[in-house]
């Protein structure tokens, strides 16, 4: 008869003694007392606790005792409270060496939430902040003769602070202006220890993201000019932290301040500095840097949202003058004085020209820009194109005005719809995703990247219109083709706008038709009744195959990331299904694994029989929490939770859409529910199509061998081979 699930066999160590083998089947304090009093005669069992004897050194409590597995090695050590008291005293030592060693131990111990809670209860956070505010001044006197020691002291102090704050026990709003000034001073110094600079930048980012009040205080202490030098170095980690602080300041800035901040970034040439020192450097861009560049890209494009959502006022003369300017540039006419000619004649002339410019409302084109989106942004783009690419603008307008009415490509209408499309493609107005790394280098090559992007695409639209020989009835079809051309060109991640333009040249309408035809052939579907009956017969087999694939993937497991306010220092955890499909094994990891994680290294278990339901999206408990990016649409689409026992949840945020579909499908399959993800539909279509084609092959009178044919012998010579080199 197997032992009860709550009894585990372990070894317990004590320094200088042989490990003791025993079964744990009772309250932990009883186990600790037994070992203290009986085994090693230590006394005062309340001063001792059990730790996992591995790299984490995490304390075992009643809450996490399920982490203990058969064969685990535990260590009897001082209790979290006693350790916290000792470290609280040691870090105040007058000896520099003793203080340094204590701070190093504190930085390691602070990763454990049990210890962190005890240390924080001793007002440990306040002690660390006091050491940063005033203590460092004392060590700065010794800095010239003990510079490495000073850097290590400060580094371990800040590391411990960051680890303690990461547990979200203490509010960020509790910190003084003096502490913020001190942290900012470490960032503002030109020569500062790398580890200190990294942690200082991380603290500033967390302050800004977690408190609107601290945002204002940090913004007063840190300027873009002081952050720029950190981008001009070669350390990509420092560059990443620096861009993260800039992004945090950008994200939390009030709307009225964002344009001002963007102007300062442009003045400081942030874009060109990032382009030359980060994007075009010899160091490959890692995932975190890619994410921060993506966030910066999104925040820059979001500055267009105000114009995108602003309707044009048809009575506003300043706005109407922009339309007059478009007419003047296109037809090389000067604005006539009010007394020249009759009013009717001038109205007729304006109407004719506005029709040539491709506006829907020929009498009052201002009405065309009352649609939001794209609002006034479309008019801004048109004016930029007319002024900065004047020859191309005039050519497009005159080309189309000389065609028959039904074959002309209406420049005004096209520009409005194209601007709207580009805003959709670039997701203007949406918050950046927590998991996305999709930045485009070409948008960092020009100060007016969106406008230049528009200029290239409006010329593409005109070219595609001619290639399709389109009429006004084909307008939506042309826009669909242009969208496909743009999306396919962006997929190649061109390094410059010129490369993007070249890529579009290769994606002509003819090429798009070839690609569509090829894809259509690969997705060919037969609709005759016998074929449909065969599909229905095969479908359950394919669904079972997909189900087995999903369960196999769950058995392999996936590494998930715990979302926290300090993204670069997030923790990882791994979850996988047992081979018998009866238990989910999961546990924390120090870093992302390079392969599968064994079951026995995952501390927690969740029997599948205890699972009540799978919850997705905004209904998940961790999506209802307040956070800077929690309400982001893309994060919501990757979130799911497992409900078990009495309203307990295991919360997930999938690394990508594919893993989300795999896990939600697999969990639903375990619960006997239907797999409804879009990937299941896609896999079903693909496998069903392949199976159908195999079964419909004309194999009459053809004997299919059971074994593969033998491999022919090698030829006696290779004289028939011609070497092209």
């Amino acid at each position: 008869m197997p032992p009860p699930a709550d009894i585990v066999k372990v070894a317990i160590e004590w320094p200088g003694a042989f490990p003791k083998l025993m079964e744990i089947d009772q309250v932990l304090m009883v186990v600790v007392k037994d070992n203290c009093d009986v085994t090693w005669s230590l006394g005062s069992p309340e001063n001792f606790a059990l730790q996992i004897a591995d790299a984490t050194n995490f304390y075992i409590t009643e809450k996490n005792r399920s982490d203990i597995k058969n064969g685990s090695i535990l260590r009897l050590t001082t209790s979290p409270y006693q350790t916290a008291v000792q470290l609280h005293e040691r870090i105040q030592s007058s000896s520099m060496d003793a203080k340094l060693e204590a701070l190093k131990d504190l930085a390691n111990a602070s990763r454990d939430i049990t210890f962190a809670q005890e240390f924080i209860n001793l007002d440990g956070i306040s002690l660390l902040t006091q050491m940063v505010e005033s203590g460092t001044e004392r060590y700065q006197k010794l800095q010239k003769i003990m510079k490495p020691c000073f850097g290590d002291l400060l580094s371990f102090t800040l590391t411990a602070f960051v680890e303690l704050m990461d547990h979200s026990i203490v509010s960020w709003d509790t910190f003084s202006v003096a502490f913020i000034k001190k942290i900012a001073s470490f960032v503002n110094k030109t020569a500062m220890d790398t580890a200190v600079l990294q942690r200082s930048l991380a603290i500033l980012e967390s302050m800004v993201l977690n408190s609107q009040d601290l945002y204002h205080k940090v913004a007063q202490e840190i300027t873009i000019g002081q952050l720029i030098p950190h981008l001009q170095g070669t350390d990509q980690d420092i560059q990443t932290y620096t861009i993260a602080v800039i992004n945090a300041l950008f994200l939390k800035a009030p709307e009225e301040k964002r344009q001002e901040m963007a102007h300062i970034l442009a003045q400081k040439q942030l874009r060109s500095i990032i382009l030359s020192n980060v994007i075009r450097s010899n160091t490959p861009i890692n995932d975190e840097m890619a994410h921060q560049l993506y966030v910066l890209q999104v925040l820059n494009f979001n500055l267009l949202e105000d114009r995108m959502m602003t309707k044009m006022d048809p009575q506003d003369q300043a706005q109407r003058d922009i339309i007059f300017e478009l007419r003047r540039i296109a037809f090389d006419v000067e604005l006539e004085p009010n007394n020249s000619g009759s009013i009717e004649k001038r109205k007729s002339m304006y109407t004719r020209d506005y029709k040539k410019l491709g506006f829907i409302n020929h009498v009052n084109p201002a009405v065309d820009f009352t649609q939001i989106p794209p609002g006034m942004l479309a008019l801004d783009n048109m004016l930029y194109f007319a002024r900065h690419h004047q020859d191309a603008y005039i050519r497009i307008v005159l080309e189309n005005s000389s065609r028959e009415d039904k074959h002309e490509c209406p420049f005004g209408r096209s520009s409005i719809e194209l601007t709207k499309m580009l805003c959709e493609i670039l997701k203007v107005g949406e918050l950046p995703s927590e998991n996305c790394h999709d930045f485009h280098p070409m948008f960092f090559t020009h100060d007016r990247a969106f406008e230049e992007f528009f200029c290239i695409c409006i010329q593409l639209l005109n070219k595609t219109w001619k290639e399709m020989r389109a009429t006004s009835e084909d307008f939506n079809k042309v826009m669909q083709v242009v969208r496909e051309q743009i999306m396919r060109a962006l997929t190649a991640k061109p390094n410059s706008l010129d490369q993007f333009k070249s890529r579009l040249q290769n994606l002509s309408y003819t090429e798009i038709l070839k690609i569509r035809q090829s894809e259509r052939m690969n997705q060919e579907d037969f609709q005759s009744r016998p074929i449909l009956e065969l599909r229905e017969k095969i479908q359950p087999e394919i669904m079972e195959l997909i189900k087995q694939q999903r369960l196999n993937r769950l058995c392999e497991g996936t590494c998930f990331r715990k979302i926290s306010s300090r993204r670069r220092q997030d923790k990882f955890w791994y979850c996988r299904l047992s081979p018998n499909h009866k238990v989910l094994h999961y546990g924390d990891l120090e870093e992302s694994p390079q392969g599968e994680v064994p079951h026995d290294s995952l501390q927690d278990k969740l029997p599948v029989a205890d699972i009540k339901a799978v919850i997705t999206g905004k209904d998940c408990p961790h999506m209802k929490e307040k956070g800077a990016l929690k309400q982001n649409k893309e994060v919501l689409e990757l979130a799911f939770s497992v409900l078990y026992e009495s309203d307990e949840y295991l919360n997930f945020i999938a690394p990508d859409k594919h893993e989300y579909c795999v896990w939600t499908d697999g969990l639903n399959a375990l619960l006997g529910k239907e797999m409804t993800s879009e990937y299941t539909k896609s896999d079903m279509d693909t496998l069903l199509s392949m199976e159908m084609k195999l079964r419909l092959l004309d194999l009459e009178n053809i004997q299919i061998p059971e074994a593969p044919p033998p491999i022919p012998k090698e030829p006696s010579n290779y004289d028939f081979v011609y070497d092209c080199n």
Side-chain angles (χ1 to χ4, degrees):
M1 182 176 178
D6 58 346
I7 297 179
V8 288
K9 296 181 179 180
V10 299
I12 298 181
E13 297 178 332
W14 175 255
F18 287 106
K20 179 187 177 184
L21 299 177
M22 66 177 298
E23 290 185 351
I24 295 182
D25 58 349
Q26 51 197 331
V27 178
L28 287 175
M29 281 309 300
V30 176
V31 177
V32 172
K33 187 176 187 305
D34 178 55
N35 281 278
C36 289
D37 293 345
V38 180
T39 308
W40 289 301
S41 304
L42 299 174
S44 303
E46 67 276 5
N47 293 332
F48 294 90
L50 293 174
Q51 264 183 347
I52 298 177
D54 61 11
T56 64
N57 290 329
F58 283 177
Y59 281 100
I60 300 296
T61 65
E62 292 297 339
K63 289 183 179 179
N64 65 8
R65 66 177 296 166
S66 58
D67 295 352
I68 307 172
K69 294 184 171 50
N70 280 319
S72 295
I73 299 176
L74 307 183
R75 181 186 300 118
L76 187 65
T77 186
T78 52
S79 68
Y81 173 74
Q82 287 296 322
T83 305
V85 169
Q86 291 169 12
L87 284 172
H88 195 275
E89 293 174 358
R90 287 172 57 203
I91 62 176
Q92 299 179 73
S93 169
S94 58
S95 165
M96 291 285 281
D97 290 337
K99 183 186 285 285
L100 180 62
E101 195 63 32
L103 286 168
K104 185 176 180 181
D105 291 343
L106 177 62
N108 288 327
S110 296
R111 292 177 298 169
D112 182 359
I113 191 170
T114 309
F115 167 83
Q117 185 70 68
E118 297 292 350
F119 189 78
I120 289 170
N121 290 343
L122 294 172
D123 216 12
I125 292 282
S126 296
L127 177 59
L128 291 177
T129 55
Q130 288 169 16
M131 291 172 63
V132 172
E133 289 174 27
S134 57
T136 51
E137 293 174 6
R138 177 186 166 193
Y139 305 130
Q140 282 173 337
K141 295 177 183 177
L142 304 172
Q143 189 173 358
K144 290 183 180 179
I145 56 174
M146 302 184 70
K147 188 172 181 179
C149 183
F150 168 74
D152 289 342
L153 272 171
L154 197 50
S155 170
F156 288 130
T157 304
L158 295 178
T159 301
F161 174 83
V162 167
E163 292 291 350
L164 290 167
M165 290 303 297
D166 197 33
H167 297 298
S168 301
I169 298 170
V170 178
S171 169
W172 283 94
D173 287 309
T174 58
F175 298 108
S176 67
V177 174
F179 179 71
I180 297 169
K181 285 179 179 290
K182 184 62 69 174
I183 296 296
S185 72
F186 301 145
V187 173
N188 293 338
K189 286 181 181 175
T190 52
M192 177 53 69
D193 179 82
T194 301
V196 172
L197 180 57
Q198 277 189 10
R199 284 151 185 79
S200 298
L201 288 166
I203 291 169
L204 291 177
E205 183 199 5
S206 294
M207 285 179 172
V208 172
L209 290 176
N210 287 283
S211 169
Q212 193 65 30
D213 183 48
L214 288 184
Y215 155 74
H216 292 291
K217 293 175 182 176
V218 171
Q220 290 174 355
E221 300 299 327
I222 294 289
T223 65
I224 300 301
Q226 291 162 331
L227 292 171
I228 291 292
H230 301 313
L231 292 172
Q232 295 172 319
T234 56
D235 189 319
Q236 190 170 114
D237 288 336
I238 295 294
Q239 292 172 328
T240 303
Y241 280 83
T242 303
I243 297 176
V245 172
I246 293 172
N247 287 338
L249 290 168
F250 216 144
L251 187 66
K252 286 295 181 177
E255 287 188 20
E256 64 273 12
K257 290 276 188 183
R258 287 182 188 171
Q259 290 290 352
E260 180 185 331
M261 187 174 175
H263 181 65
I264 294 171
L265 293 178
Q267 280 185 330
K268 299 295 182 181
Q269 298 183 323
L270 177 71
R271 178 197 59 76
S272 58
I273 289 170
I274 289 176
L275 181 66
S276 56
N277 292 280
V278 178
I279 297 174
R280 291 180 177 171
S281 73
N282 296 325
T283 307
I285 292 176
N286 59 35
D287 284 348
E288 184 52 39
M289 174 60 85
H291 172 76
Q292 294 301 340
L293 291 173
Y294 152 78
V295 172
L296 183 60
Q297 172 186 294
V298 170
L299 294 176
N300 270 309
F301 283 143
N302 282 356
L303 294 171
L304 303 169
E305 184 182 12
D306 182 53
R307 294 293 283 174
M308 180 182 78
M309 301 306 292
T310 300
K311 292 183 179 181
M312 184 173 184
D313 181 0
Q315 307 306 318
D316 188 319
Q317 188 58 43
Q319 295 179 359
R320 289 166 62 87
D321 285 345
I322 299 175
I323 298 176
F324 292 150
E325 178 71 359
L326 290 174
R327 173 178 175 265
R328 185 193 67 76
I329 296 172
F331 304 114
D332 195 23
V333 294
E334 296 299 327
L335 293 178
E336 299 87 353
N338 289 333
N339 60 355
S340 64
S342 68
I343 295 175
E344 290 300 323
K345 182 180 178 182
R346 280 191 289 114
K347 280 186 177 180
S348 173
M349 190 163 48
Y350 285 152
T351 300
R352 181 198 66 204
D353 289 348
Y354 292 150
K355 183 175 184 298
K356 289 180 180 179
L357 281 169
F359 291 114
I360 298 173
N361 191 317
H362 305 153
V363 177
N364 187 4
V367 176
D368 289 10
F369 300 98
T370 56
Q371 171 196 348
I372 55 170
M376 288 295 291
L377 184 60
L379 187 58
D380 294 343
N381 283 339
M382 293 168 70
L383 184 62
Y384 181 90
F385 182 49
R387 285 178 172 171
H388 294 84
H389 300 270
Q390 196 171 106
D391 291 343
Y393 167 69
I394 294 171
R395 186 183 71 251
I396 287 175
V397 172
L398 296 184
E399 242 180 42
N400 287 293
S401 62
S402 62
R403 291 181 190 157
E404 294 180 42
D405 284 354
K406 67 175 185 177
H407 282 288
E408 70 175 359
C409 176
F411 174 73
R413 183 186 176 191
S414 299
S415 297
I416 292 169
E417 290 301 319
L418 179 64
T419 301
K420 182 179 178 181
M421 179 199 294
L422 297 183
C423 289
E424 290 172 357
I425 290 172
L426 298 177
K427 299 181 179 177
V428 174
E430 293 187 20
L431 281 173
S433 164
E434 258 296 296
N435 305 296
C436 188
H437 311 114
D438 190 25
F439 85 97
H440 294 276
M442 72 178 191
F443 291 133
F444 289 84
T445 62
H446 203 286
D447 289 328
R448 303 289 293 274
F450 184 80
E451 289 87 342
E452 288 293 325
F453 187 43
F454 168 84
C455 293
I456 293 171
C457 294
I458 192 65
Q459 294 176 74
L460 167 72
L461 193 155
N462 190 63
K463 172 175 172 282
T464 302
W465 185 283
K466 289 189 289 186
E467 290 173 349
M468 293 177 67
R469 299 180 181 177
T471 63
S472 53
E473 289 82 10
D474 300 320
F475 186 86
N476 290 333
K477 291 180 182 177
V478 175
M479 294 305 294
Q480 288 173 6
V481 173
V482 169
R483 186 186 190 97
E484 186 172 345
Q485 290 170 314
I486 294 169
M487 293 298 290
R488 289 185 184 276
L490 286 176
T491 304
K493 292 288 181 70
N495 290 318
S496 67
L497 290 165
D498 286 338
Q499 283 188 17
F500 174 68
K501 198 171 182 178
S502 299
R503 177 69 180 154
L504 289 175
Q505 291 291 335
N506 297 327
L507 286 169
S508 63
Y509 176 58
T510 305
E511 184 63 25
I512 291 294
L513 286 179
K514 289 180 182 177
I515 293 171
R516 285 181 174 180
Q517 179 65 20
S518 173
E519 291 176 350
R520 194 177 298 119
M521 289 177 66
N522 291 334
Q523 298 171 0
E524 190 175 19
D525 192 16
F526 304 102
Q527 297 298 323
S528 64
R529 185 174 175 181
I531 299 297
L532 293 175
E533 290 176 356
L534 180 59
R535 284 173 65 89
E536 289 178 9
K537 181 179 178 183
I538 297 172
Q539 203 158 342
E541 301 173 21
I542 302 296
M543 186 57 75
E544 183 62 28
L545 184 65
I546 294 171
K547 175 183 173 182
Q548 290 304 317
Q549 187 274 339
R550 298 292 192 264
L551 295 176
N552 289 341
R553 275 290 292 109
L554 264 61
C555 290
E556 292 173 11
T558 300
C559 179
F560 296 94
R561 186 168 51 82
K562 290 184 176 179
I563 297 293
S564 77
S565 59
R566 295 182 301 104
R567 187 179 186 279
R568 284 173 314 291
Q569 300 189 23
D570 288 344
K571 307 300 181 185
F572 296 92
W573 67 290
Y574 200 88
C575 187
R576 64 182 299 181
L577 181 66
S578 62
N580 62 5
H581 301 173
K582 291 185 177 180
V583 179
L584 283 176
H585 296 268
Y586 61 97
D588 293 342
L589 302 174
E590 283 299 304
E591 57 185 7
S592 182
Q594 297 302 313
E596 289 185 20
V597 176
H599 292 94
D600 53 11
S601 66
L602 300 174
Q603 307 89 0
D604 298 296
K605 295 179 183 178
L606 173 58
V608 172
D610 291 349
I611 298 177
K612 294 181 179 179
V614 178
I615 302 167
T616 60
K618 62 183 179 181
D619 295 327
C620 298
H622 56 317
M623 290 295 102
K624 295 177 181 178
E625 299 169 7
K626 186 178 179 183
L629 298 177
K630 285 288 190 292
Q631 300 306 317
N632 184 356
K633 180 182 175 184
E634 292 192 34
V635 175
L636 286 173
E637 290 176 351
L638 298 175
F640 62 99
S641 300
V642 171
L643 171 64
Y644 64 97
E645 290 183 356
S646 56
D647 296 329
E648 293 288 327
Y649 293 92
L650 184 61
N651 297 319
F652 299 76
I653 293 181
D656 52 47
K657 190 67 176 177
H658 180 263
E659 289 296 325
Y660 170 84
C661 292
V662 165
W663 274 85
T664 52
D665 282 344
L667 291 169
N668 280 323
L670 287 172
L671 298 179
K673 296 181 179 179
E674 186 180 355
M675 298 184 294
T676 56
S677 78
E678 57 189 64
Y679 277 83
T680 293
K681 184 179 182 301
S682 174
D683 289 349
M684 172 62 75
D685 292 343
T686 302
L687 294 172
L688 199 53
S689 174
M690 290 172 60
E691 185 67 18
M692 291 287 293
K693 288 174 181 177
L694 285 172
R695 295 202 183 194
L696 293 172
L697 286 173
D698 186 8
L699 299 177
E700 189 176 354
N701 299 323
I702 296 177
Q703 186 174 2
I704 300 176
E706 293 183 4
I711 299 173
K713 293 181 180 179
E714 290 191 18
S716 56
N717 62 68
Y718 292 90
D719 295 342
F720 57 87
V721 175
Y722 178 73
D723 188 357
C724 296
N725 298 323

